[in-house]
Amino acid sequence: MKIFYPFLTATCLLVTHANAQQALPLYTPGHEEMMLRYKKAAILDSVSRNTVFKSSVNPNWQHKEAFWYCNVLKDSVREYVYVDAGKAVKRPAFDADKMAAGLQAATGKTFDASRLKISRMDYSTDGKQLSFELDKQYFVCTLPAYICRKADTLSFRSAGRTGFQRKSSRWESFETASQSPDGSWEAVIKEGNVLIRNKATGAEQQYTTDGTQEKPYGSIAWASDSRYLVCYHIAPAVDTAVYYVLTSVAGTKRGQLRSQPYKQPGDPFTTYEMFVCSVGEKAARKINTPVIDFFEAPALHWRKNDSRYFLFERIARGHQQFTVTEVDIQTGNTRNVLEEKTNTFIYESRLFTSYLAQSDEMIMTSERDGWQHLYLINTLTGSNKQITKGEWVVRSVDSVDAVKREIWFSASGRNKGEDPYNVHYYRIAFDGTKLMDLTPAPGNHTVLFSPGKAYFLDTYSQINVPAVTELHATGSGKTVLALEQADISLFLSKGVRLPEPFHAKGRDGVTDIYGILCRPADFDSSKAYPLIEYIYAGPQDAFVPKSFLSSLSEMQSLAALGFMVVQIDGMGTANRSKAFHDVCWKNLADGGFPDRILWMKALAGKYSYIDTTRVGVYGTSAGGQNALGALLFHPEFYKAAVAACGCHDNRVDKQWWNEQWMGYPVGKHYEEQSNVTNAYRLQGELMLVVGEADTNVPPESTYRVADALIKAGKTFEFLPVPGLGHSDGGPYGKIRKRDFFVQHLLNTLPPKRNQNELKQTH
């Protein structure tokens, strides 16, 4: 795949624009029609509430083979379902009419049998009693007579449920005191130095003397056999503060100054110098490894039968090098078991590692062959074997079974003929054999395992295909029961038009770019409608929704006003190949715009009613940065933008996010790609939105853009929202955004809100 990703090249790729197909009359509604459209949009803002049923199953496992769940139906009617997985039986959890009668007899109150709100429930082992919590009261009912009584407390046996788990952090937390695993010793930090206390005698041995309050020892960790203690000489870095003013705090007469520590790109990190204390010796021994100057002290992984050795991980600042290092405590020497380097970046938060001390192995993910895959590493020799292969991406790892030598993971892109972002779940052996697709049905899948993982619930859907939930046997993957299929009949009766998935070639002419289109339900194909892109090009993920209901948001209500609304994942976002992702490297201003523009032109080539001479864009946070960037760097295509809480200058935003993609040290490319630096380029119509209490992206990021625009003599709308945090402007911001696009893309007057022309839509 050929990629063009230097910032200036990407900016100049698409310098002309003409809609050759444009022959239809423009859709430009009159004011009265526009008012009707606003009313439709207001209805769609909440249309999915209480109109889509049975779209998911929330299992409450009683034991390893049985669970119950509740379906909330039209008019808040509730049905309770009991499933015996072992017998492949699904039935009503109880007789609702008899239950209501039994409760009335026990309490003297009337209960609606169709709307019992049970929050917890448990069957006795013999199935003859049902205990549950209803409206914050406990009850026990004898079955099948439904003789009920109140109870003071209940002991529920619910075994819970598990989805795919987050990996544990590779970084340790600070500790100032710690007991050894065998309970014999206690490590204590006193006046910045390390002491080990014999818990039986109270005798203490001081191991360090150069620790101070300003530069203490800490972050201590014991070996599993209690013979060694690892500690660090720490040089803390104090993060400087960012400030903001709350202008309208109740009960005050002055603006209230607030601040928070905030690490920005280039700011220093606390450093950690590694030492080891051996029980019985009198001084700490320095480990022969460079000072750790990025992130916190690492988690330690000890050899199973020899605590002389442990492993730790390290990410070099700049995210271009990852190492797994072995420490020999007796000599203080180290060796790198594994070293990964890249010319672009290693995505640290997607890097999975699992240490198998019993066999001196580790499982890890790597993009070394151009795709995120699983590898088996021998931690004694450093030799490695690739477990998964192909032009697809491992998305997450649920668990590693060291006994069965199996890995449970999710991935996307492996199932040919599907959207490559659809998530499926798999199991594979350490040697790369016995790969099983647990969720082969087309769609985007979510899995919940039973306790013990003998069964799992699979819920899958597509953006325009309602959800199905099935119960499967994990060992074979076979379907045990079809549990539910979403009912969307009421939803469709409200006048909703489902989104359409669409893909087109990107800037290289080879790679498919994926997105969705939302239309007005009543659009007229004989007229040309303006186009609005909802944008978020943050490289940390992909953002176009893949599951049913996930797009039922502002996109569809905005479309109801008379727009074609799209969302696209361009190059530079995650979950595709390494080359696809690398486009963002030191190049956030690219934003995938060359791909996005080609995608929208291809869409207009398919549908003549899409007008690419009237294109708007909106986004929040990184999407706010992108929305303004669209006007600054691609004014030939984008004509109007609403940019909310944007990280408009990557030097002003948070360190962890920006150095991951823009690199370290902070170079000239940070300045060259800043929306502040490039504000003078503005040609289209712009609205800037910012919450004055934004603790995610400093409000000053937006204010600096406003300052630069003013100095450049540009006109724009500016909406600061008192008291609001990191958001798109809240309900009022959404109103102003809609009015902005109606005015500038439809050339129609929005409601006269000060005259209460459309009061009911607020």
Side-chain angles (χ1 to χ4, degrees):
M1 178 169 83
K2 189 175 182 182
I3 296 294
F4 303 94
Y5 57 84
F7 166 60
L8 292 178
T9 303
T11 304
C12 299
L13 275 175
L14 298 165
V15 294
T16 62
H17 168 61
N19 187 0
Q21 274 81 28
Q22 184 59 55
L24 300 178
L26 301 182
Y27 175 67
T28 52
H31 187 68
E32 185 175 339
E33 181 183 347
M34 200 68 244
M35 295 305 98
L36 294 176
R37 289 202 166 276
Y38 269 94
K39 293 177 182 179
K40 291 180 181 179
I43 293 172
L44 289 184
D45 280 335
S46 59
V47 71
S48 64
R49 299 175 193 166
N50 302 319
T51 59
V52 176
F53 310 111
K54 302 184 178 182
S55 62
S56 64
V57 171
N58 183 18
N60 298 271
W61 288 90
Q62 301 296 285
H63 47 76
K64 293 183 179 181
E65 290 200 338
F67 63 92
W68 65 271
Y69 63 93
C70 175
N71 287 322
V72 180
L73 308 177
K74 183 182 178 182
D75 299 326
S76 299
V77 169
R78 293 169 179 258
E79 65 175 12
Y80 294 86
V81 180
Y82 182 85
V83 176
D84 188 325
K87 297 179 181 178
V89 171
K90 171 189 170 185
R91 60 174 174 78
F94 51 81
D95 185 313
D97 291 327
K98 290 182 178 179
M99 177 73 80
L103 289 169
Q104 182 174 351
T107 64
K109 298 179 181 178
T110 301
F111 290 84
D112 185 342
S114 65
R115 295 179 177 82
L116 296 173
K117 293 184 178 180
I118 294 175
S119 54
R120 293 189 293 171
M121 183 165 58
D122 184 28
Y123 290 84
S124 61
T125 304
D126 60 10
K128 294 182 178 180
Q129 283 194 327
L130 182 62
S131 55
F132 55 91
E133 181 179 355
L134 173 69
D135 296 335
K136 299 182 180 180
Q137 294 186 61
Y138 300 123
F139 295 92
V140 175
C141 291
T142 301
L143 305 178
Y146 288 90
I147 299 172
C148 300
R149 61 178 174 81
K150 288 185 178 181
D152 294 329
T153 59
L154 297 175
S155 178
F156 293 98
R157 294 182 299 142
S158 177
R161 63 190 186 278
T162 57
F164 262 38
Q165 306 299 307
R166 291 177 177 268
K167 67 179 178 63
S168 58
S169 172
R170 60 176 49 91
W171 317 115
E172 295 276 86
S173 59
F174 283 95
E175 295 182 40
T176 57
S178 176
Q179 181 173 284
S180 64
D182 66 3
S184 300
W185 310 94
E186 184 178 21
V188 180
I189 305 298
K190 184 181 294 185
E191 296 179 354
N193 286 294
V194 180
L195 294 84
I196 295 181
R197 179 184 300 129
N198 186 314
K199 294 193 70 177
T201 67
E204 294 181 343
Q205 173 63 50
Q206 183 166 338
Y207 280 78
T208 66
T209 58
D210 56 340
T212 64
Q213 183 176 357
E214 293 75 24
K215 190 177 178 181
Y217 284 83
S219 199
I220 54 184
W222 281 98
S224 56
D225 65 0
S226 305
R227 293 171 57 196
Y228 304 107
L229 177 79
V230 176
C231 61
Y232 299 86
H233 201 185
I234 302 170
V238 179
D239 294 334
T240 52
V242 294
Y243 298 88
Y244 55 98
V245 176
L246 301 182
T247 57
S248 186
V249 177
T252 67
K253 296 186 293 183
R254 306 178 187 219
Q256 302 298 301
L257 180 65
R258 299 287 188 268
S259 67
Q260 62 169 334
Y262 195 91
K263 194 184 295 294
Q264 294 174 323
D267 285 355
F269 275 80
T270 294
T271 63
Y272 300 84
E273 189 175 15
M274 186 183 289
F275 289 81
V276 64
C277 305
S278 299
V279 174
E281 295 185 3
K282 295 185 178 181
R285 184 185 309 113
K286 185 181 182 305
I287 300 300
N288 185 25
T289 187
V291 172
I292 296 167
D293 60 357
F294 191 49
F295 293 145
E296 297 179 3
L300 309 181
H301 306 276
W302 301 85
R303 279 198 198 174
K304 177 69 173 180
N305 299 313
D306 191 352
S307 63
R308 174 178 173 177
Y309 301 96
F310 66 84
L311 300 168
F312 73 92
E313 301 175 9
R314 181 172 183 175
I315 294 281
R317 190 164 188 181
H319 298 271
Q320 293 182 292
Q321 182 178 5
F322 170 72
T323 57
V324 177
T325 301
E326 182 186 76
V327 174
D328 182 337
I329 285 180
Q330 291 188 7
T331 66
N333 293 329
T334 62
R335 69 178 180 93
N336 285 343
V337 170
L338 174 79
E339 185 174 24
E340 293 236 333
K341 291 183 178 181
T342 177
N343 293 325
T344 55
F345 61 86
I346 294 171
Y347 189 2
E348 184 274 330
S349 65
R350 288 279 179 94
L351 180 61
F352 172 85
T353 55
S354 177
Y355 291 83
L356 312 173
Q358 191 70 43
S359 57
D360 293 311
E361 293 172 308
M362 65 178 289
I363 303 292
M364 69 171 292
T365 53
S366 171
E367 293 183 289
R368 66 182 67 168
D369 76 343
W371 302 82
Q372 177 87 326
H373 280 300
L374 292 164
Y375 291 80
L376 176 66
I377 314 296
N378 184 305
T379 57
L380 297 180
T381 67
S383 64
N384 65 85
K385 175 182 175 59
Q386 188 168 358
I387 301 171
T388 58
K389 297 178 182 179
E391 294 185 352
W392 48 279
V393 178
V394 171
R395 296 284 291 269
S396 66
V397 177
D398 172 66
S399 57
V400 176
D401 190 326
V403 176
K404 294 182 179 179
R405 296 184 70 79
E406 292 178 340
I407 306 167
W408 305 60
F409 67 97
S410 70
S412 58
R414 185 177 178 277
N415 294 45
K416 301 303 179 185
E418 281 193 53
D419 186 317
Y421 294 92
N422 281 350
V423 173
H424 290 260
Y425 294 83
Y426 303 87
R427 184 176 67 234
I428 194 170
F430 281 12
D431 62 3
T433 64
K434 302 178 182 178
L435 176 63
M436 175 181 282
D437 185 349
L438 297 169
T439 57
N444 194 45
H445 292 254
T446 299
V447 161
L448 292 173
F449 287 107
S450 67
K453 291 190 175 179
Y455 302 94
F456 66 88
L457 275 70
D458 176 22
T459 299
Y460 59 94
S461 66
Q462 298 175 52
I463 193 67
N464 54 357
V465 179
V468 171
T469 301
E470 299 169 342
L471 176 67
H472 291 255
T474 306
S476 64
K478 292 182 178 179
T479 303
V480 176
L481 284 170
L483 295 178
E484 301 293 350
Q485 182 163 351
D487 178 357
I488 64 169
S489 54
L490 181 59
F491 173 72
L492 293 177
S493 72
K494 301 295 183 181
V496 178
R497 189 183 184 99
L498 297 179
E500 177 188 341
F502 181 76
H503 63 272
K505 299 301 179 186
R507 71 185 80 179
D508 61 358
V510 176
T511 307
D512 284 328
I513 304 299
Y514 287 77
I516 59 171
L517 164 66
C518 293
R519 302 174 175 86
D522 59 350
F523 82 98
D524 181 351
S525 61
S526 68
K527 296 181 180 179
Y529 288 77
L531 187 63
I532 297 177
E533 180 184 2
Y534 170 38
I535 192 169
Y536 189 97
Q540 73 269 24
D541 211 334
F543 303 95
V544 175
K546 302 300 174 184
S547 298
F548 193 80
L549 286 184
S550 57
S551 69
L552 300 179
S553 59
E554 189 175 17
M555 289 180 66
Q556 287 191 312
S557 56
L558 191 58
L561 292 177
F563 302 105
M564 300 291 166
V565 186
V566 299
Q567 188 176 3
I568 309 156
D569 281 321
M571 291 185 186
T573 52
N575 303 331
R576 299 286 289 276
S577 69
K578 175 65 173 162
F580 190 102
H581 203 185
D582 278 350
V583 172
C584 74
W585 176 239
K586 295 187 176 181
N587 192 33
L588 286 183
D590 176 275
F593 285 117
D595 312 301
R596 298 170 186 277
I597 293 171
L598 286 171
W599 188 97
M600 285 183 270
K601 287 184 175 181
L603 187 70
K606 181 178 181 180
Y607 299 120
S608 59
Y609 49 77
I610 291 178
D611 178 11
T612 54
T613 67
R614 296 183 291 170
V615 181
V617 59
Y618 70 97
T620 301
S621 193
Q625 177 184 15
N626 303 140
L628 176 52
L631 293 187
L632 301 181
F633 305 124
H634 298 279
E636 78 288 351
F637 190 79
Y638 294 95
K639 306 305 179 185
V642 176
C645 293
C647 36
H648 296 291
D649 190 314
N650 298 109
R651 297 167 295 181
V652 175
D653 194 26
K654 62 196 75 63
Q655 178 279 329
W656 66 267
W657 194 87
N658 292 272
E659 283 189 18
Q660 170 71 77
W661 316 117
M662 292 291 279
Y664 174 84
V666 176
K668 191 170 179 60
H669 62 289
Y670 275 80
E671 178 184 359
E672 291 172 343
Q673 296 181 52
S674 164
N675 286 349
V676 178
T677 305
N678 289 282
Y680 71 93
R681 298 175 181 269
L682 180 66
Q683 293 186 36
E685 302 295 336
L686 171 66
M687 173 184 284
L688 291 175
V689 182
V690 64
E692 68 174 11
D694 191 342
T695 58
N696 185 327
V697 177
E700 65 203 62
S701 182
T702 299
Y703 277 90
R704 291 183 183 205
V705 170
D707 181 52
L709 290 169
I710 291 169
K711 290 176 178 176
K714 301 293 182 178
T715 58
F716 61 99
E717 294 186 35
F718 186 44
L719 177 61
V721 185
L724 193 71
H726 192 66
S727 83
D728 61 354
Y732 183 71
K734 284 184 172 67
I735 288 171
R736 292 289 302 275
K737 173 167 43 188
R738 294 178 183 188
D739 292 355
F740 176 87
F741 285 132
V742 165
Q743 179 179 354
H744 293 293
L745 296 182
L746 286 174
N747 197 28
T748 301
L749 287 177
K752 298 176 183 178
R753 299 186 183 279
N754 291 354
Q755 282 74 48
N756 294 326
E757 188 175 21
L758 206 64
K759 183 178 180 180
Q760 62 270 32
T761 67
H762 280 239

